[in-house]
Amino acid sequence: MVDAAPADVAAAPSDHPGAASVRHLPAYFLTRQGRHEAALLQFRLVDGYVDALPWRYWEDPAAV
């Protein structure tokens, strides 16, 4: 999933309403795997979208 999701979103139309939400999940897991450059790319592509999974599970998502 970690590598497939970004590829799937890249294949979707650029204005797809769920693209930003989908990018947050691999960003989280890439960070957990220590793949920080790949995670940073996903964070840049979400362009400020917040309140997506998995971040909404924590009171302070920045602390995760």
Side-chain angles (χ1 to χ4, degrees):
M1 177 193 105
V2 175
D3 294 314
D8 289 345
V9 174
S14 61
D15 61 345
H16 191 284
S21 293
V22 171
R23 289 190 185 280
H24 278 277
L25 286 170
Y28 170 77
F29 287 109
L30 287 164
T31 301
R32 301 283 294 179
Q33 292 176 349
R35 297 168 60 189
H36 299 120
E37 288 185 30
L40 182 57
L41 174 62
Q42 296 306 308
F43 284 123
R44 287 182 175 150
L45 291 169
V46 299
D47 194 29
Y49 178 78
V50 297
D51 196 36
L53 291 173
W55 315 112
R56 69 176 104 171
Y57 287 122
W58 289 281
E59 189 172 311
D60 183 9
V64 177

